[in-house]
């Protein structure tokens, strides 16, 4: 298991893991001067080879970088500006060290002191129930996926794209870092469904704009939405009648709304559903409606939610109140809304 980037010692150590740990492994954490560790949902543990720790040395880190870049210093400089290196099968290596700043902009790393290798996972079926709900009535609705880092947002988004694409909706994916598609020579190596088009290597804001122009998508998908340019592009896409799938780092909507730009995006009605990922595969799904927040400072819209029993098994609790027909994402109309700002009503499935 693992990308070809791994050294023989690291690969052999992974091969010795139990089957459960192989399934649950999320990251390798490599910090110079310490021992290699593996990250699981329950925390970090030492990674051992034949019962012995694997020391992380400058030599080990250099070998990893040489393997990841094909010993190309130019390739390393190009990717280091983002502090990451794309690996095989959708995996990614994050880097830390001494930053190189030119004209106030991060341009690379002079010395690499630690690396984290994040493993991409395909978990077919985990988004099937969510996909069925957000495509009720033959209309796909914009969906925001939230969680702190490392809780599976990318994995869930990947499977949601697959499930919606298999239902016949045209999906365009802005995959700047190749984490969703693991594309090779432009062709996705991970399953994103039969009706999906992928643009890789392009900054997300530019990719969203171009995909809207040339691919005629019904759904536009992007991972880790952040920054004013990306938020503006996402808002414009949602206002064009295209459903938007996006992920963002936050524990919940209240936390997200306190970050610059996100409150405006939520307030615009860009998203119809919000799915919050929690520990051990649990999810909480909320339906959002309306275009204004409540007047109380810091408050979020009235919402109705559904706790998810984990790994695609949902427990539904219907909110009180009448149910009205759902409006298409991005339609900009007030169809289905009444009772004040963000009067939310949940329809049990």
């Amino acid at each position: 298991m693992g990308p070809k980037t791994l050294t023989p010692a690291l690969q052999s150590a992974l091969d010795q893991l139990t089957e459960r740990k192989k399934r649950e492994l999320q990251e390798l954490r490599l910090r110079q001067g310490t021992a290699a560790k593996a990250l699981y949902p329950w925390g970090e543990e030492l990674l051992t080879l034949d019962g012995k720790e694997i020391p992380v040395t400058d030599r080990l880190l250099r070998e990893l970088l040489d393997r990841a870049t094909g010993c190309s210093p130019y390739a390393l400089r190009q990717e280091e500006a983002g502090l990451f290196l794309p690996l095989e099968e959708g995996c990614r290596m994050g880097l830390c060290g001494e930053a190189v700043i030119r004209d106030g902009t991060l341009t690379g790393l002079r010395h690499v002191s630690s690396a984290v290798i994040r493993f991409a996972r395909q978990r077919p079926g985990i988004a099937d129930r969510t996909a069925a709900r957000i495509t009720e009535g033959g209309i796909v609705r914009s969906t925001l996926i939230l969680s702190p880092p490392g809780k599976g947002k990318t994995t869930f988004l990947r499977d949601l794209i697959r499930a919606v694409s298999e239902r016949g909706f045209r999906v365009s994916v802005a995959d700047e870092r190749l984490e969703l598609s693991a594309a090779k020579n432009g062709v996705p190596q991970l399953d994103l469904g039969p009706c999906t088009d992928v643009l890789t290597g392009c900054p997300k804001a530019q990719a969203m704009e171009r995909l809207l122009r040339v691919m005629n998508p019904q759904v536009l998908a992007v991972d880790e939405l952040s920054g004013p340019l990306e938020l503006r592009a996402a808002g414009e896409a949602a206002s064009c009648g295209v459903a938007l799938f996006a992920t963002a780092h936050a524990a919940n909507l209240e936390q997200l709304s306190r970050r610059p730009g996100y409150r405006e995006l939520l307030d615009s009605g860009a998203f119809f559903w919000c799915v919050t990922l929690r520990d051990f595969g649990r999810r909480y799904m909320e339906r959002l409606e309306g275009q204004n927040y409540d007047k109380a400072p810091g408050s979020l819209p009235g919402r109705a939610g559904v706790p998810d029993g984990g790994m695609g098994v949902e427990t539904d609790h219907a909110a009180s109140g009448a149910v009205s027909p759902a409006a298409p994402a991005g339609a900009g109309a007030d169809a289905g809304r009444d009772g004040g700002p963000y009067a939310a009503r949940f329809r049990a499935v």
Side-chain angles (χ1 to χ4, degrees):
M1 63 176 294
K4 297 177 182 178
T5 301
L6 297 181
T7 66
L10 291 173
Q11 183 60 64
S12 296
L14 293 187
D15 292 340
Q16 292 180 4
L17 293 176
T18 65
E19 290 304 315
R20 183 196 176 201
K21 287 187 174 180
K22 288 179 181 179
R23 289 194 306 270
E24 299 294 340
L25 178 64
Q26 296 177 339
E27 297 175 348
L28 289 185
R29 312 289 307 199
L30 307 169
R31 305 175 180 98
Q32 190 170 338
T34 67
K37 292 184 177 181
L39 177 66
Y40 305 99
W42 53 87
E44 291 187 10
E45 294 183 4
L46 284 172
L47 182 70
T48 61
L49 177 60
D50 298 326
K52 299 179 180 179
E53 297 180 358
I54 301 174
V56 180
T57 62
D58 178 67
R59 180 178 178 180
L60 182 146
L61 291 172
R62 286 179 178 274
E63 183 178 353
L64 283 174
L65 294 175
D66 285 345
R67 287 170 171 266
T69 63
C71 299
S72 169
Y74 173 77
L76 179 59
R77 285 196 300 271
Q78 290 297 100
E79 297 295 351
E80 273 186 341
L83 299 184
F84 80 97
L85 290 167
L87 307 177
E88 304 88 4
E89 301 174 359
C91 300
R92 184 180 77 177
M93 182 191 299
L95 303 170
C96 272
E98 184 180 342
V100 177
I101 305 294
R102 292 190 179 92
D103 298 325
T105 301
L106 175 66
T107 61
L109 292 176
R110 187 171 287 112
H111 303 288
V112 175
S113 60
S114 61
V116 54
I117 297 176
R118 180 175 295 182
F119 292 85
R121 300 293 189 192
Q122 287 198 102
R123 298 188 183 275
I126 62 170
D128 282 350
R129 296 286 298 271
T130 300
R133 180 165 293 168
I134 68 175
T135 58
E136 285 178 338
I139 300 172
V140 63
R141 297 167 179 85
S142 293
T143 302
L144 176 65
I145 302 165
L146 299 181
S147 83
K151 300 298 183 182
K153 291 186 299 297
T154 301
T155 302
F156 188 82
L157 174 60
R158 183 186 298 117
D159 197 58
L160 184 63
I161 292 168
R162 174 204 59 80
V164 169
S165 179
E166 288 182 351
R167 285 167 167 77
F169 292 97
R170 298 185 305 277
V171 185
S172 288
V173 180
D175 192 15
E176 180 178 1
R177 298 180 178 181
L178 286 77
E179 291 182 90
L180 287 168
S181 65
K184 184 177 182 180
N185 297 325
V187 180
Q189 303 301 298
L190 300 178
D191 185 9
L192 293 177
C195 300
T196 300
D197 305 296
V198 182
L199 178 60
T200 63
C202 180
K204 285 174 276 188
Q206 298 178 38
M208 285 187 277
E209 178 185 354
R210 283 157 177 76
L211 287 168
L212 279 172
R213 288 182 181 180
V214 303
M215 296 310 297
N216 186 27
Q218 294 169 293
V219 180
L220 187 62
V222 59
D223 196 19
E224 295 188 9
L225 193 63
S226 64
L229 294 179
E230 294 176 17
L231 293 172
R232 188 179 306 118
E236 291 175 358
S239 68
C240 291
V242 175
L244 181 65
F245 291 174
T247 68
H249 291 310
N252 49 51
L253 279 169
E254 284 80 1
Q255 186 181 90
L256 185 71
S257 71
R258 293 194 289 269
R259 295 168 57 186
Y262 287 95
R263 188 179 184 96
E264 291 76 11
L265 185 62
L266 291 170
D267 194 52
S268 71
F271 294 102
F272 193 90
W273 287 105
C274 177
V275 178
T276 304
L277 306 185
R278 298 178 177 174
D279 290 326
F280 307 110
R282 293 179 299 148
R283 299 190 297 275
Y284 190 83
M285 192 169 181
E286 297 174 282
R287 174 172 164 177
L288 308 178
E289 293 191 67
Q291 296 183 352
N292 295 291
Y293 289 105
D294 296 337
K295 294 181 180 180
S299 65
L300 272 171
R303 308 193 301 273
V306 172
D308 186 323
M311 300 311 292
V313 180
E314 298 180 347
T315 304
D316 299 326
H317 301 280
S320 60
V323 175
S324 63
D334 287 331
R337 302 182 182 122
D338 62 18
Y342 266 108
R345 290 158 301 185
F346 174 73
R347 176 166 54 192
V349 177

